[in-house]
Amino acid sequence: MRIAVLASGTGSILESLIADDLPIGVVLVDRPCGAEGIAAGAGIPVERVLRTNFGRDFDRDRFTDDVVAALVRYGVGLIAMAGYGTVLGRSIHDAYPGRILNTHPALLPAFKGWHAVEQALASGVAETGCTVHVATLEVDEGPILAQERVPILPGDTPASLHERIKAVERRLYPATIRSVVEGTAAQPAELDVPTNGAGSILEAGSTIDTGRRTG
Ligand code: GRF
């Protein structure tokens, strides 16, 4: 099964997927970014569906249709978002139902949204983490496939904490994608990190950003 990776940033998560020898057929970006160079360096085709409008009148559905059209050309069966900065519309979920994965730098359902690391730090919780989940139309919702805790240390800045989280994501995301590709992914009930707030460390981080990412 060929995988499309969607990225907008430095591409260090993409790099970990490449290093794990996952069958990546294309890297699609929504803006010029470091991920392009990493893909090119590995001989992976790069598709640019560039987003030029970050305003209120952004035509999300049309943009999503363009993304889907680009992906369909590569015959991919699974999509892995790896720091992709545009919330996509319904058509990609219709085209790839249950086949879109995401990694998020917090222990969902705590700290949804684009500022998860900053919010975890500001909230005073002792630990945060990362979550690999099936992406749905609702941002940072969808069945959780894997989670891992990451401690918040004295003196942490958003950058230092995010890097510690990403170090875990670079191990957890490739492994989880591989388990999906191979059909051995854990069911949510098998996870050892609580996935709801009841009696869990997630209670302390209850500041949920329900705003949609717009880039
Ligand atoms: C990761 O922390 C991912 O969870 C988030 O964006 C970051 C991507 O990092 N959605 P990089 O650009 O791959 O270094």
Side-chain angles (χ1 to χ4, degrees), residues 59-206:
D59 190 342
R60 196 174 305 279
D61 289 337
R62 186 170 173 182
F63 182 86
T64 304
D65 289 347
D66 291 345
V67 168
V68 172
L71 295 178
V72 164
R73 288 202 296 274
Y74 288 87
V76 298
L78 187 69
I79 297 172
M81 295 196 284
Y84 187 66
T86 296
V87 174
L88 295 173
R90 183 174 295 281
S91 66
I92 196 164
H93 297 279
D94 290 344
Y96 299 95
R99 309 300 293 171
I100 306 172
L101 306 182
N102 185 41
T103 177
H104 181 75
L107 290 173
L108 292 173
F111 307 119
K112 298 178 184 179
W114 196 242
H115 302 291
V117 177
E118 290 85 347
Q119 288 178 355
L121 197 52
S123 76
V125 288
E127 56 183 7
T128 178
C130 57
T131 303
V132 178
H133 66 103
V134 180
T136 57
L137 203 48
E138 291 306 312
V139 175
D140 299 328
E141 300 274 349
I144 291 171
L145 301 176
Q147 289 187 300
E148 200 167 312
R149 295 181 172 103
V150 173
I152 296 177
L153 303 180
D156 255 340
T157 63
S160 67
L161 177 57
H162 199 177
E163 187 49 40
R164 190 176 313 113
I165 295 169
K166 289 209 282 189
V168 176
E169 290 184 283
R170 293 182 198 115
R171 172 171 45 74
L172 193 63
Y173 201 30
T176 308
I177 293 173
R178 183 167 294 285
S179 72
V180 169
V181 169
E182 295 175 356
T184 58
Q187 296 304 304
E190 297 170 13
L191 298 168
D192 66 351
V193 176
T195 56
N196 63 53
S200 80
I201 56 168
L202 300 180
E203 280 180 343
S206 58

